[in-house]
Amino acid sequence: MNRALGLNLALAAGIAAAFVLSLMAGKVWIPLDAWIAGDPRWPIIAELRLPRTVLAVMVGAALGLSGAAMQGYLRNPLADPGLFGVSSGAALGAVISLYFGYAASAWLLPVFALTGAGISMALLALLVGRSGSIIVFTLAGVIISSVAGSMTALAISLAPTPFATSQIVTWLMGALTDRSWDDVTLALPLLALGAALLACTGRTLDALTLGESAARSMGVDPLRLQLLIVIGVALCVGASVATAGIIGFVGLIVPHLVRPFVGNRPSAVLLPSALAGALLLLLADSLVRALPTVSELRLGIAMSMLGGPFFLVVLLRMRRRLA
Amino acid sequence: MSVLAAEDLTLQLGGRRVLDAVSARFTPGHVTAVLGPNGAGKSTLLACLAGLRTPDDGRVMLGGQPRDAIGLRDLARQIGLLPQGGDVHWDIDVASLVKLGRYPHRARWGETEADGIAVARAMAATDVTRFAARPMTALSGGERARVLLARVLAGEPQWLLADEPLANLDPAHQLDTLTCLRDFARGGAGVIVVLHDLNHAIRVADEVLLLCDGRVAAHGPPADVLTPQRIVDTYGVAAHIATTPDGLRFIVTSQMARS
């Protein structure tokens, strides 16, 4: 219990520190003493870095929480929120808007992405039906994400201009570059609602540790749980993809990082995963801005580059345990 | 104490009639052993009683009320199920696992005093208190089975349904588990346990419900139900019943001579 509280406090402190760091970091390093209205560098902080930083916290927390909830629900430490088709659906929506060149309006792309997420969520609910079965759920998610993925590939290959193609490909890599307060306003209510729904699942996920039969005999309503997970993850992931593109690995890695500290109980992993997700994305986004590259490294790529070696470590550790 | 009863339960699975008009009244305070050959419908009957399966026909009555009229959570407080196999999907510690049994009683926030008492009592009854802090993966098969039983006991159900709780246990742990079940029944709760070993049924059961091909073949005290003739009829094996010098009855089975 106390270890969990300690970890949460440490993570919260880390987020506060990383938040400040993220406001300072970038091509132009802005020290603390320039943080006053009137300083010529202040608009960079207020209009560019602050919304971007807030968005990194929100998206990171939503992805971390979704990952922890998905792993708890599927009882599989390799489950990822992307498994479930919603991020591919959201990406497809965004790609369609880019394909038709609608991206000129700042609001249209996220709205298309959210529509895509909503449609894939509805499809998922429809495919799963009233069974409440986890295997059907996983299969339906795989089907939706592969169909959405192939449609996205189709849109890329048929894109009207090379410019559209490069725009699509770049967007798919995920980033928080040039995000504004509009994006924050759009995503915040959706992410908050999704996170609230997922936060309700903690104890039920714990009960699911004993398997479906035992959980049902303890009064778990599998249909209600599935609905909470589907809508909660769809809101979190859909709104994240709509504002930041696809940022993989956060939902997959973060629960692994916190389990050594708080134990394996799914409900104990939820809050620290949200906090650690926020911290991870804050740090990664500060890093891509601070790196001396010609054009900014895409956040989605940075996360995947971190994710690969991370899973190598997980694999090596697992192999040692099995040997 | 509420009475649990099956009334004319009929259930088809994959075109096969797994339960065929099964009726039985279970007595609180008794251990009822459900026996029968593989595929006789024992586990399915338990699943119907616990509310995991809905019969095509007939109904389950609990305390004079049809089961479907009782809410999920209410039902879960009254009936505890120890499923076959005993999956534990995350490596959590023993105390946390036993606490999961309080799920049907959960308060909105935190743990109540009643939760703590029930968990401590369940862990004492199954003798798992001393490894409360150990992770589940560090337990032997026998210890693990006792922890899983403690989880059900922690829910303080009026009915405990156990599906083959003795599988994979050595003789000493088998007898320990049976004693646990029996003590729980002596406390006033009803215990319904699916068993395979006829001798275990003799050791522990107050009543035996013998199923064969989805029907009730016999229901009554073990000595009345488990006669050599009935064992031949249901299991197709010859049975010899004898008594040890200190008065324990036992059954030895052998293959029937082919005629």
Side-chain angles (χ1 to χ4, degrees):
Chain A
M1 268 308 146
N2 278 331
R3 274 183 91 178
L5 187 67
L7 177 70
N8 288 333
L9 289 176
L11 285 171
I15 290 175
F19 197 95
V20 174
L21 174 78
S22 164
L23 292 181
M24 292 196 282
K27 287 278 174 293
V28 183
W29 188 268
I30 304 177
L32 275 175
D33 53 21
W35 290 23
I36 35 163
D39 188 283
R41 288 167 290 183
W42 173 245
I44 298 183
I45 289 192
E47 292 306 319
L48 294 176
R49 290 197 186 160
L50 198 55
R52 180 177 186 160
T53 303
V54 170
L55 216 52
V57 171
M58 283 165 32
V59 169
L63 291 177
L65 180 64
S66 304
M70 284 288 281
Q71 293 186 359
Y73 178 61
L74 298 179
R75 288 164 285 158
N76 185 336
L78 294 180
D80 173 87
L83 196 71
F84 148 112
V86 173
S87 56
S88 328
L92 178 62
V95 166
I96 288 174
S97 83
L98 291 169
Y99 180 88
F100 289 111
Y102 293 159
S105 154
W107 279 90
L108 266 177
L109 186 142
V111 169
F112 263 72
L114 286 175
T115 312
I119 290 174
S120 47
M121 180 181 86
L123 257 176
L124 185 73
L126 202 72
L127 283 174
V128 172
R130 300 189 53 79
S131 64
S133 148
I134 287 174
I135 296 177
V136 175
F137 173 91
T138 313
L139 248 165
V142 169
I143 292 172
I144 292 173
S145 56
S146 64
V147 169
S150 62
M151 307 256 288
T152 304
L154 183 72
I156 294 173
S157 64
L158 295 183
T161 61
F163 176 68
T165 310
S166 89
Q167 220 183 0
I168 292 174
V169 172
T170 314
W171 185 87
L172 278 176
M173 289 167 192
L176 289 169
T177 322
D178 300 332
R179 294 303 185 269
S180 68
W181 287 111
D182 284 348
D183 295 290
V184 175
T185 323
L186 179 79
L188 186 62
L190 300 169
L191 293 178
L193 181 62
L197 292 178
L198 292 181
C200 294
T201 60
R203 284 223 205 172
T204 311
L205 292 179
D206 287 351
L208 211 57
T209 301
L210 295 166
E212 271 171 277
S213 301
R216 281 179 60 203
S217 78
M218 287 196 282
V220 169
D221 181 349
L223 223 58
R224 180 176 171 274
L225 176 65
Q226 192 163 64
L227 215 62
L228 281 174
I229 295 279
V230 167
I231 300 178
V233 173
L235 284 170
C236 283
V237 174
S240 298
V241 174
T243 46
I246 292 185
I247 299 174
F249 284 106
V250 179
L252 192 54
I253 294 178
V254 151
H256 286 276
L257 293 177
V258 303
R259 276 196 196 102
F261 299 97
V262 297
N264 291 318
R265 209 156 43 88
S267 67
V269 177
L270 290 180
L271 177 62
S273 290
L275 295 174
L279 180 60
L280 181 64
L281 217 56
L282 266 179
L283 290 176
D285 189 50
S286 309
L287 184 73
V288 297
R289 265 181 285 150
L291 282 180
T293 46
V294 179
S295 64
E296 189 181 294
L297 178 64
R298 303 290 289 179
L299 184 56
I301 300 180
M303 283 313 303
S304 307
M305 284 165 77
L306 286 174
F310 174 80
F311 271 93
L312 187 67
V313 173
V314 171
L315 181 135
L316 289 176
R317 220 193 295 165
M318 204 181 283
R319 215 172 58 174
R320 207 174 316 137
R321 201 164 0 132
L322 291 177
Chain B
M1 185 52 76
S2 58
V3 171
L4 182 64
E7 293 183 353
D8 282 323
L9 293 183
T10 300
L11 181 67
Q12 300 243 13
L13 287 178
R16 205 172 71 88
R17 209 164 251 232
V18 185
L19 293 178
D20 190 356
V22 171
S23 293
R25 274 176 72 83
F26 300 96
T27 322
H30 275 193
V31 175
T32 304
V34 180
L35 299 179
N38 290 334
K42 305 181 294 290
S43 295
T44 312
L45 174 64
L46 224 58
C48 281
L49 291 173
L52 298 188
R53 278 190 191 282
T54 308
D56 299 331
D57 236 331
R59 56 186 184 170
V60 173
M61 300 289 286
L62 179 60
Q65 252 183 317
R67 185 200 75 197
D68 298 336
I70 305 172
L72 275 179
R73 191 168 161 188
D74 233 6
L75 191 70
R77 286 181 181 189
Q78 297 186 52
I79 299 183
L81 173 71
L82 183 62
Q84 213 172 332
D87 297 341
V88 179
H89 291 278
W90 295 105
D91 186 18
I92 60 180
D93 62 86
V94 168
S96 302
L97 191 127
V98 176
K99 258 184 224 157
L100 293 180
R102 296 301 294 172
Y103 181 83
H105 299 270
R106 68 200 182 281
R108 194 156 286 278
W109 299 110
E111 279 166 40
T112 62
E113 200 181 328
D115 288 342
I117 295 171
V119 168
R121 198 184 287 158
M123 291 179 73
T126 49
D127 192 23
V128 299
T129 313
R130 66 208 143 80
F131 34 84
R134 260 201 256 165
M136 285 300 284
T137 42
L139 302 183
S140 73
E143 292 165 340
R144 190 185 155 87
R146 267 150 55 205
V147 171
L148 291 171
L149 179 60
R151 189 277 295 172
V152 187
L153 297 185
E156 298 179 316
Q158 293 171 22
W159 290 92
L160 168 57
L161 316 188
D163 197 352
E164 293 190 35
L166 308 183
N168 304 323
L169 295 185
D170 62 37
H173 284 114
Q174 289 181 337
L175 292 176
D176 282 349
T177 304
L178 289 174
T179 309
C180 254
L181 294 177
R182 184 167 207 148
D183 291 345
F184 191 62
R186 292 295 169 265
V191 173
I192 304 172
V193 52
V194 172
L195 294 175
H196 265 305
D197 191 322
L198 304 177
N199 287 304
H200 288 146
I202 297 185
R203 278 298 87 71
V204 73
D206 302 296
E207 296 170 45
V208 168
L209 177 67
L210 185 63
L211 293 180
C212 190
D213 290 331
R215 287 192 211 92
V216 177
H219 186 183
D224 297 354
V225 171
L226 297 175
T227 59
Q229 187 55 47
R230 212 174 260 121
I231 293 171
V232 171
D233 292 346
T234 47
Y235 290 95
V237 294
H240 318 275
I241 301 181
T243 309
T244 62
D246 37 1
L248 287 176
R249 265 162 48 86
F250 63 95
I251 299 175
V252 178
T253 53
S254 61
Q255 251 174 349
M256 306 259 290
R258 288 177 197 266
S259 51

mmCIF file of all heavy atoms in Angstrom, chain B residues 40-69:
data_model
loop_
_atom_site.group_PDB
_atom_site.id
_atom_site.type_symbol
_atom_site.label_atom_id
_atom_site.label_comp_id
_atom_site.label_asym_id
_atom_site.label_seq_id
_atom_site.Cartn_x
_atom_site.Cartn_y
_atom_site.Cartn_z
ATOM 1 N N ALA B 40 -21.423 -36.883 -17.169
ATOM 2 C CA ALA B 40 -22.751 -37.117 -16.593
ATOM 3 C C ALA B 40 -23.491 -35.809 -16.347
ATOM 4 O O ALA B 40 -24.689 -35.806 -16.108
ATOM 5 C CB ALA B 40 -22.615 -37.898 -15.289
ATOM 6 N N GLY B 41 -22.763 -34.697 -16.389
ATOM 7 C CA GLY B 41 -23.421 -33.403 -16.186
ATOM 8 C C GLY B 41 -23.131 -32.777 -14.832
ATOM 9 O O GLY B 41 -23.791 -31.814 -14.449
ATOM 10 N N LYS B 42 -22.114 -33.260 -14.136
ATOM 11 C CA LYS B 42 -21.824 -32.757 -12.787
ATOM 12 C C LYS B 42 -21.428 -31.277 -12.804
ATOM 13 O O LYS B 42 -22.009 -30.460 -12.090
ATOM 14 C CB LYS B 42 -20.695 -33.567 -12.141
ATOM 15 C CG LYS B 42 -20.937 -35.064 -12.101
ATOM 16 C CD LYS B 42 -19.792 -35.802 -11.438
ATOM 17 C CE LYS B 42 -18.474 -35.746 -12.197
ATOM 18 N NZ LYS B 42 -18.463 -36.520 -13.454
ATOM 19 N N SER B 43 -20.445 -30.959 -13.643
ATOM 20 C CA SER B 43 -19.967 -29.572 -13.690
ATOM 21 C C SER B 43 -21.040 -28.636 -14.222
ATOM 22 O O SER B 43 -21.172 -27.497 -13.770
ATOM 23 C CB SER B 43 -18.728 -29.465 -14.571
ATOM 24 O OG SER B 43 -17.666 -30.183 -14.002
ATOM 25 N N THR B 44 -21.799 -29.128 -15.198
ATOM 26 C CA THR B 44 -22.866 -28.300 -15.765
ATOM 27 C C THR B 44 -23.928 -28.001 -14.707
ATOM 28 O O THR B 44 -24.436 -26.882 -14.624
ATOM 29 C CB THR B 44 -23.502 -29.031 -16.953
ATOM 30 O OG1 THR B 44 -22.460 -29.513 -17.787
ATOM 31 C CG2 THR B 44 -24.395 -28.108 -17.740
ATOM 32 N N LEU B 45 -24.237 -29.020 -13.893
ATOM 33 C CA LEU B 45 -25.211 -28.796 -12.819
ATOM 34 C C LEU B 45 -24.697 -27.711 -11.873
ATOM 35 O O LEU B 45 -25.436 -26.789 -11.492
ATOM 36 C CB LEU B 45 -25.451 -30.101 -12.057
ATOM 37 C CG LEU B 45 -26.345 -29.966 -10.813
ATOM 38 C CD1 LEU B 45 -27.744 -29.527 -11.214
ATOM 39 C CD2 LEU B 45 -26.404 -31.268 -10.022
ATOM 40 N N LEU B 46 -23.412 -27.804 -11.531
ATOM 41 C CA LEU B 46 -22.829 -26.817 -10.626
ATOM 42 C C LEU B 46 -22.891 -25.415 -11.247
ATOM 43 O O LEU B 46 -23.213 -24.427 -10.576
ATOM 44 C CB LEU B 46 -21.372 -27.197 -10.332
ATOM 45 C CG LEU B 46 -20.927 -27.082 -8.877
ATOM 46 C CD1 LEU B 46 -21.806 -27.949 -8.001
ATOM 47 C CD2 LEU B 46 -19.469 -27.474 -8.730
ATOM 48 N N ALA B 47 -22.571 -25.351 -12.551
ATOM 49 C CA ALA B 47 -22.599 -24.056 -13.239
ATOM 50 C C ALA B 47 -24.013 -23.472 -13.239
ATOM 51 O O ALA B 47 -24.198 -22.263 -13.087
ATOM 52 C CB ALA B 47 -22.080 -24.208 -14.661
ATOM 53 N N CYS B 48 -25.016 -24.334 -13.399
ATOM 54 C CA CYS B 48 -26.403 -23.857 -13.363
ATOM 55 C C CYS B 48 -26.750 -23.345 -11.968
ATOM 56 O O CYS B 48 -27.365 -22.287 -11.817
ATOM 57 C CB CYS B 48 -27.371 -24.980 -13.733
ATOM 58 S SG CYS B 48 -27.478 -25.272 -15.495
ATOM 59 N N LEU B 49 -26.344 -24.097 -10.958
ATOM 60 C CA LEU B 49 -26.665 -23.692 -9.582
ATOM 61 C C LEU B 49 -25.994 -22.362 -9.247
ATOM 62 O O LEU B 49 -26.564 -21.516 -8.560
ATOM 63 C CB LEU B 49 -26.197 -24.769 -8.593
ATOM 64 C CG LEU B 49 -26.969 -26.086 -8.622
ATOM 65 C CD1 LEU B 49 -26.298 -27.119 -7.723
ATOM 66 C CD2 LEU B 49 -28.417 -25.889 -8.212
ATOM 67 N N ALA B 50 -24.752 -22.165 -9.758
ATOM 68 C CA ALA B 50 -24.008 -20.951 -9.425
ATOM 69 C C ALA B 50 -24.442 -19.761 -10.274
ATOM 70 O O ALA B 50 -24.011 -18.653 -10.036
ATOM 71 C CB ALA B 50 -22.511 -21.199 -9.612
ATOM 72 N N GLY B 51 -25.269 -20.005 -11.271
ATOM 73 C CA GLY B 51 -25.743 -18.905 -12.095
ATOM 74 C C GLY B 51 -24.860 -18.622 -13.285
ATOM 75 O O GLY B 51 -24.988 -17.582 -13.926
ATOM 76 N N LEU B 52 -23.930 -19.507 -13.611
ATOM 77 C CA LEU B 52 -23.062 -19.291 -14.766
ATOM 78 C C LEU B 52 -23.712 -19.764 -16.051
ATOM 79 O O LEU B 52 -23.343 -19.348 -17.133
ATOM 80 C CB LEU B 52 -21.730 -20.029 -14.592
ATOM 81 C CG LEU B 52 -20.877 -19.607 -13.420
ATOM 82 C CD1 LEU B 52 -19.522 -20.282 -13.496
ATOM 83 C CD2 LEU B 52 -20.707 -18.107 -13.385
ATOM 84 N N ARG B 53 -24.661 -20.686 -15.912
ATOM 85 C CA ARG B 53 -25.390 -21.154 -17.092
ATOM 86 C C ARG B 53 -26.871 -21.043 -16.830
ATOM 87 O O ARG B 53 -27.323 -21.252 -15.698
ATOM 88 C CB ARG B 53 -25.056 -22.620 -17.377
ATOM 89 C CG ARG B 53 -23.778 -22.807 -18.121
ATOM 90 C CD ARG B 53 -23.661 -24.251 -18.555
ATOM 91 N NE ARG B 53 -22.326 -24.538 -19.062
ATOM 92 C CZ ARG B 53 -21.915 -24.181 -20.270
ATOM 93 N NH1 ARG B 53 -22.733 -23.545 -21.092
ATOM 94 N NH2 ARG B 53 -20.693 -24.469 -20.666
ATOM 95 N N THR B 54 -27.606 -20.721 -17.867
ATOM 96 C CA THR B 54 -29.050 -20.659 -17.730
ATOM 97 C C THR B 54 -29.634 -21.909 -18.376
ATOM 98 O O THR B 54 -29.351 -22.192 -19.537
ATOM 99 C CB THR B 54 -29.590 -19.408 -18.434
ATOM 100 O OG1 THR B 54 -28.847 -18.288 -17.953
ATOM 101 C CG2 THR B 54 -31.059 -19.211 -18.149
ATOM 102 N N PRO B 55 -30.398 -22.681 -17.626
ATOM 103 C CA PRO B 55 -30.958 -23.901 -18.205
ATOM 104 C C PRO B 55 -32.000 -23.572 -19.273
ATOM 105 O O PRO B 55 -32.624 -22.513 -19.231
ATOM 106 C CB PRO B 55 -31.599 -24.590 -17.000
ATOM 107 C CG PRO B 55 -31.832 -23.504 -16.002
ATOM 108 C CD PRO B 55 -30.769 -22.478 -16.228
ATOM 109 N N ASP B 56 -32.160 -24.495 -20.239
ATOM 110 C CA ASP B 56 -33.198 -24.306 -21.258
ATOM 111 C C ASP B 56 -34.569 -24.430 -20.623
ATOM 112 O O ASP B 56 -35.523 -23.787 -21.042
ATOM 113 C CB ASP B 56 -33.047 -25.382 -22.354
ATOM 114 C CG ASP B 56 -31.696 -25.276 -23.058
ATOM 115 O OD1 ASP B 56 -31.170 -24.148 -23.107
ATOM 116 O OD2 ASP B 56 -31.184 -26.306 -23.519
ATOM 117 N N ASP B 57 -34.635 -25.272 -19.639
ATOM 118 C CA ASP B 57 -35.912 -25.551 -18.998
ATOM 119 C C ASP B 57 -35.682 -25.771 -17.517
ATOM 120 O O ASP B 57 -34.604 -26.183 -17.114
ATOM 121 C CB ASP B 57 -36.506 -26.850 -19.605
ATOM 122 C CG ASP B 57 -37.878 -26.591 -20.161
ATOM 123 O OD1 ASP B 57 -38.549 -25.681 -19.630
ATOM 124 O OD2 ASP B 57 -38.274 -27.289 -21.123
ATOM 125 N N GLY B 58 -36.702 -25.510 -16.727
ATOM 126 C CA GLY B 58 -36.552 -25.687 -15.292
ATOM 127 C C GLY B 58 -35.904 -24.466 -14.670
ATOM 128 O O GLY B 58 -35.573 -23.501 -15.354
ATOM 129 N N ARG B 59 -35.735 -24.507 -13.342
ATOM 130 C CA ARG B 59 -35.157 -23.326 -12.696
ATOM 131 C C ARG B 59 -34.422 -23.714 -11.428
ATOM 132 O O ARG B 59 -34.599 -24.812 -10.902
ATOM 133 C CB ARG B 59 -36.244 -22.310 -12.375
ATOM 134 C CG ARG B 59 -37.335 -22.901 -11.524
ATOM 135 C CD ARG B 59 -38.466 -21.912 -11.343
ATOM 136 N NE ARG B 59 -39.455 -22.499 -10.426
ATOM 137 C CZ ARG B 59 -40.462 -21.818 -9.918
ATOM 138 N NH1 ARG B 59 -40.626 -20.551 -10.216
ATOM 139 N NH2 ARG B 59 -41.309 -22.415 -9.109
ATOM 140 N N VAL B 60 -33.612 -22.788 -10.959
ATOM 141 C CA VAL B 60 -32.899 -22.956 -9.699
ATOM 142 C C VAL B 60 -33.586 -22.069 -8.684
ATOM 143 O O VAL B 60 -33.848 -20.893 -8.953
ATOM 144 C CB VAL B 60 -31.422 -22.535 -9.857
ATOM 145 C CG1 VAL B 60 -30.714 -22.539 -8.509
ATOM 146 C CG2 VAL B 60 -30.714 -23.449 -10.838
ATOM 147 N N MET B 61 -33.904 -22.629 -7.528
ATOM 148 C CA MET B 61 -34.559 -21.853 -6.477
ATOM 149 C C MET B 61 -33.581 -21.649 -5.328
ATOM 150 O O MET B 61 -32.908 -22.576 -4.895
ATOM 151 C CB MET B 61 -35.799 -22.590 -5.958
ATOM 152 C CG MET B 61 -36.861 -22.850 -7.003
ATOM 153 S SD MET B 61 -37.717 -21.351 -7.508
ATOM 154 C CE MET B 61 -38.750 -21.056 -6.068
ATOM 155 N N LEU B 62 -33.521 -20.425 -4.844
ATOM 156 C CA LEU B 62 -32.669 -20.130 -3.695
ATOM 157 C C LEU B 62 -33.500 -19.383 -2.669
ATOM 158 O O LEU B 62 -34.009 -18.295 -2.943
ATOM 159 C CB LEU B 62 -31.471 -19.280 -4.136
ATOM 160 C CG LEU B 62 -30.496 -18.857 -3.036
ATOM 161 C CD1 LEU B 62 -29.884 -20.063 -2.354
ATOM 162 C CD2 LEU B 62 -29.407 -17.968 -3.610
ATOM 163 N N GLY B 63 -33.674 -19.990 -1.495
ATOM 164 C CA GLY B 63 -34.478 -19.367 -0.445
ATOM 165 C C GLY B 63 -35.896 -19.083 -0.904
ATOM 166 O O GLY B 63 -36.457 -18.044 -0.567
ATOM 167 N N GLY B 64 -36.467 -19.992 -1.702
ATOM 168 C CA GLY B 64 -37.853 -19.836 -2.127
ATOM 169 C C GLY B 64 -38.045 -18.873 -3.288
ATOM 170 O O GLY B 64 -39.163 -18.626 -3.715
ATOM 171 N N GLN B 65 -36.924 -18.322 -3.795
ATOM 172 C CA GLN B 65 -37.018 -17.367 -4.907
ATOM 173 C C GLN B 65 -36.366 -17.973 -6.123
ATOM 174 O O GLN B 65 -35.337 -18.630 -6.003
ATOM 175 C CB GLN B 65 -36.221 -16.112 -4.546
ATOM 176 C CG GLN B 65 -37.033 -14.887 -4.232
ATOM 177 C CD GLN B 65 -36.110 -13.710 -3.975
ATOM 178 O OE1 GLN B 65 -35.091 -13.820 -3.303
ATOM 179 N NE2 GLN B 65 -36.461 -12.586 -4.534
ATOM 180 N N PRO B 66 -36.901 -17.758 -7.315
ATOM 181 C CA PRO B 66 -36.180 -18.221 -8.506
ATOM 182 C C PRO B 66 -34.858 -17.447 -8.633
ATOM 183 O O PRO B 66 -34.816 -16.261 -8.331
ATOM 184 C CB PRO B 66 -37.115 -17.885 -9.669
ATOM 185 C CG PRO B 66 -38.281 -17.182 -9.110
ATOM 186 C CD PRO B 66 -38.181 -17.121 -7.632
ATOM 187 N N ARG B 67 -33.815 -18.160 -9.067
ATOM 188 C CA ARG B 67 -32.492 -17.547 -9.112
ATOM 189 C C ARG B 67 -32.462 -16.312 -9.996
ATOM 190 O O ARG B 67 -31.777 -15.328 -9.700
ATOM 191 C CB ARG B 67 -31.495 -18.576 -9.647
ATOM 192 C CG ARG B 67 -30.075 -18.092 -9.613
ATOM 193 C CD ARG B 67 -29.224 -18.887 -10.567
ATOM 194 N NE ARG B 67 -29.474 -18.491 -11.938
ATOM 195 C CZ ARG B 67 -29.137 -19.214 -12.982
ATOM 196 N NH1 ARG B 67 -28.579 -20.385 -12.826
ATOM 197 N NH2 ARG B 67 -29.375 -18.774 -14.200
ATOM 198 N N ASP B 68 -33.219 -16.346 -11.105
ATOM 199 C CA ASP B 68 -33.169 -15.222 -12.043
ATOM 200 C C ASP B 68 -33.722 -13.942 -11.425
ATOM 201 O O ASP B 68 -33.473 -12.852 -11.936
ATOM 202 C CB ASP B 68 -33.966 -15.567 -13.308
ATOM 203 C CG ASP B 68 -33.360 -16.768 -13.998
ATOM 204 O OD1 ASP B 68 -32.160 -17.001 -13.788
ATOM 205 O OD2 ASP B 68 -34.087 -17.481 -14.711
ATOM 206 N N ALA B 69 -34.487 -14.082 -10.335
ATOM 207 C CA ALA B 69 -35.053 -12.891 -9.706
ATOM 208 C C ALA B 69 -34.072 -12.265 -8.722
ATOM 209 O O ALA B 69 -34.344 -11.206 -8.167
ATOM 210 C CB ALA B 69 -36.365 -13.256 -8.998
#
